[in-house]
Every structure is written in C-alpha cells, then in structure tokens.
Amino acid sequence: IYHIEKKDFFKRQKLNLSKFFFTNIDQSTFSNLKNLRKLDLSGNQIKHISSDTFQSLPLIEEIYLSCNQIRYLEPDCFSNLKLLKVLSLAYNHLEIINENDFRDLISLEELNLSSNSIRDIHPNSLLSLRGLRKLNLAFNLLDFLAESVFRSQY
C-alpha cells in the first residue's frame, strides 16, 4: 500500500485490510486516517514495520498484525500510541522481544504474541504496560521467563 486517499477514508474509524497480500506498509499509508480506531492487517505478507508506520494514527485503539511474516520489531514502532488497547502479533516470526518494543503503550490491555518463535523476552520489555490484563505467549520457544518481566503487574 502506498497511500489511502483522504476523500475516501477521512472519517473512517475501522479499516479491515486483512488477506490483501500486502508486503509493505509505511507512514504515508495511513497519513489521512487520523480518526482510525481499529486497523486489521492480519493475513498479509508484511515483513517489516518501520518506526513511523503508525505515528499518524493518534486515536488508534486496536491493531491486528497476526498471520504476517514479521521477524523483529523496529525500535519505537508502537511508541506514542497512547490509546492503543489491543495489539496482536500472533502467528509471525518474532524471535526476541527487546526492552523498548512496547514502550509508551500505557493503555494496552491485551497483547497477543502467541505462535511466534520467541525465545527471549527482555526483563524490562513489559514494564510500561501497567494496564495489561491479557498476555498470550503460547506456542513460542521460551525456556525461561524472568520474574521481573511481570514486575509492573504486581
């Protein structure tokens, strides 16, 4: 996707772009969707999300990126999404969750990381997720999970 015309989608709050075989998205893709609250990009072939991809979506509450081919999260790719409540990255190829992958997601309630290849989660990666109620890590390659990963949840 390169660009979505403002005249067609300016007031749209939900956008389902699942199973369109997209391989790439960037900041300009969503630049005219300031009112978007729910975005479904599942079932595509997205391999990479740049750090500014979602920065033009200040009201976004739900992002579904499951069933893609994402191998890593670029630093700050979800930063400043203060209203984001649901994030699904299930069924991708993630191997490592770094310290700042979910930084600033203060409203996040549900995080689905199931069915990846995660073998390491940085001990501080979930610290800022104070509102987290549901975390799905099923079907990954985790042998050990540091107790400090859940420090902010007590």
Side-chain angles (χ1 to χ4, degrees), residues 73 76 78-79 87 89 94-106 108 111 113 118-132 135 137 142 144-153:
L73 301 175
D76 299 321
F78 301 114
S79 67
L87 177 60
L89 289 158
L94 294 171
E95 295 181 5
I96 297 173
I97 301 301
N98 293 303
E99 183 173 10
N100 294 317
D101 285 346
F102 305 116
R103 184 179 59 169
D104 296 332
L105 296 181
I106 57 175
L108 196 68
L111 177 59
L113 297 170
I118 299 172
R119 54 183 165 70
D120 187 35
I121 297 179
H122 190 282
N124 297 329
S125 62
L126 306 178
L127 285 180
S128 66
L129 305 181
R130 304 231 182 257
L132 193 64
L135 173 65
L137 293 169
L142 291 166
F144 174 79
L145 200 55
E147 186 177 321
S148 61
V149 167
F150 300 104
R151 187 173 32 215
S152 68
Q153 307 305 310

Side-chain angles (χ1 to χ4, degrees), residues 25-94:
I25 54 173
D26 60 31
Q27 182 184 21
S28 64
T29 304
F30 308 112
S31 62
N32 292 322
L33 297 170
K34 304 282 186 214
N35 293 318
L36 198 63
R37 298 196 189 259
K38 180 179 179 180
L39 177 61
D40 189 346
L41 290 163
S42 59
N44 286 290
Q45 298 174 0
I46 299 166
K47 295 179 182 171
H48 178 259
I49 299 171
S50 66
S51 60
D52 58 0
T53 298
F54 302 113
Q55 297 309 305
S56 61
L57 302 174
L59 302 177
I60 196 76
E61 294 177 357
E62 300 177 35
I63 298 176
Y64 298 90
L65 289 160
S66 56
C67 300
N68 278 286
Q69 298 175 11
I70 302 168
R71 294 197 175 282
Y72 70 96
L73 301 175
E74 190 168 305
D76 299 321
C77 66
F78 301 114
S79 67
N80 298 318
L81 300 180
K82 305 280 188 212
L83 301 179
L84 190 66
K85 294 179 181 176
V86 177
L87 177 60
S88 179
L89 289 158
Y91 294 95
N92 277 286
H93 303 290
L94 294 171

